[in-house]
């Protein structure tokens, strides 16, 4: 065994001494369990502990209802959250004409219309999404240059 390899090995007593030397964080009981998915985190309205998702269901293409449960066993609060798509910040490259999501105020429809009207065409074969046909702005009022 080389000198380098022998210095990397530690005995069980050394490992115990190292773990005893490290300060331990006390866990306050009202914090609840740690969650697997941090992105879905929500605090309980009553005890402020983390709550986790128990189940969820799509109500529409733009709305989901989620049932959360508090991880604090002393609280146990279970509640329903409704998540909804509110506005579009950047339009989709493959829009679904059946979905109507309002544009954010910083996105101007007329600017988008000018870009689409003056855009060149190039051959493209979609690999992951089905091509959507139809006018993105169909059903709305005519453009300013059109006469009714």
């Amino acid at each position: 065994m080389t000198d380098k390899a022998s210095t990397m090995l530690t005995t069980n007593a050394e490992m115990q001494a190292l773990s005893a030397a490290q300060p331990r964080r006390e866990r306050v009981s009202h914090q609840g369990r740690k969650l697997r998915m941090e992105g879905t985190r929500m605090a309980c309205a009553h005890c402020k502990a983390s709550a986790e998702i128990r189940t969820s269901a799509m109500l529409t293409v733009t709305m989901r209802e989620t049932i959360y449960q508090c991880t604090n066993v002393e609280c146990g609060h279970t509640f329903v959250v409704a998540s909804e798509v509110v506005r579009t910040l950047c339009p989709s490259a493959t829009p679904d004409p059946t979905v109507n999501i309002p544009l954010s105020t910083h996105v101007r429809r007329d600017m988008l219309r000018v870009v689409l009207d003056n855009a060149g065409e190039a051959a493209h074969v979609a690999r992951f999404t089905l091509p959507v046909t139809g006018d993105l702005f169909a059903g709305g009022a005519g453009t300013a240059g059109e006469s009714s």
Side-chain angles (χ1 to χ4, degrees):
M1 190 182 292
T2 66
D3 188 36
K4 189 179 221 181
S6 63
T7 58
M8 293 179 76
L9 295 175
T10 56
T11 64
N12 195 19
E14 289 173 332
M15 291 298 288
Q16 288 176 349
L18 282 173
S19 66
Q22 293 176 348
R24 297 202 188 274
R25 271 187 6 181
E26 283 193 37
R27 186 168 179 181
V28 182
S29 64
H30 73 275
Q31 287 180 335
R33 292 196 311 274
K34 295 292 181 190
L35 298 178
R36 288 186 317 243
M37 299 174 67
E38 291 295 319
T40 58
R41 191 170 35 171
M42 180 165 247
C44 173
H46 296 286
C47 71
K48 310 302 183 253
S50 295
E52 67 181 4
I53 295 175
R54 303 307 298 167
T55 186
S56 68
M58 289 293 290
L59 300 180
T60 67
V61 293
T62 59
M63 186 165 212
R64 174 178 287 275
E65 188 175 81
T66 307
I67 297 175
Y68 281 85
Q69 185 175 25
C70 181
T71 56
N72 179 359
V73 294
E74 294 174 353
C75 175
H77 183 227
T78 303
F79 53 97
V80 177
V81 172
S83 306
E84 181 182 14
V85 177
V86 178
R87 63 184 170 271
T88 298
L89 298 178
C90 179
S92 170
T94 57
D96 182 351
T98 62
V99 177
N100 184 14
I101 302 171
L103 292 174
S104 181
T105 56
H106 80 279
V107 180
R108 301 211 191 306
R109 285 184 188 268
D110 51 349
M111 289 177 66
L112 185 59
R113 206 174 265 133
V114 168
V115 170
L116 290 174
D117 288 343
N118 296 315
E121 292 189 12
H124 173 71
V125 177
R127 294 186 340 199
F128 303 109
T129 58
L130 295 174
V132 177
T133 57
D135 185 9
L136 181 63
F137 302 105
T143 60
E146 292 180 13
S147 58
S148 297

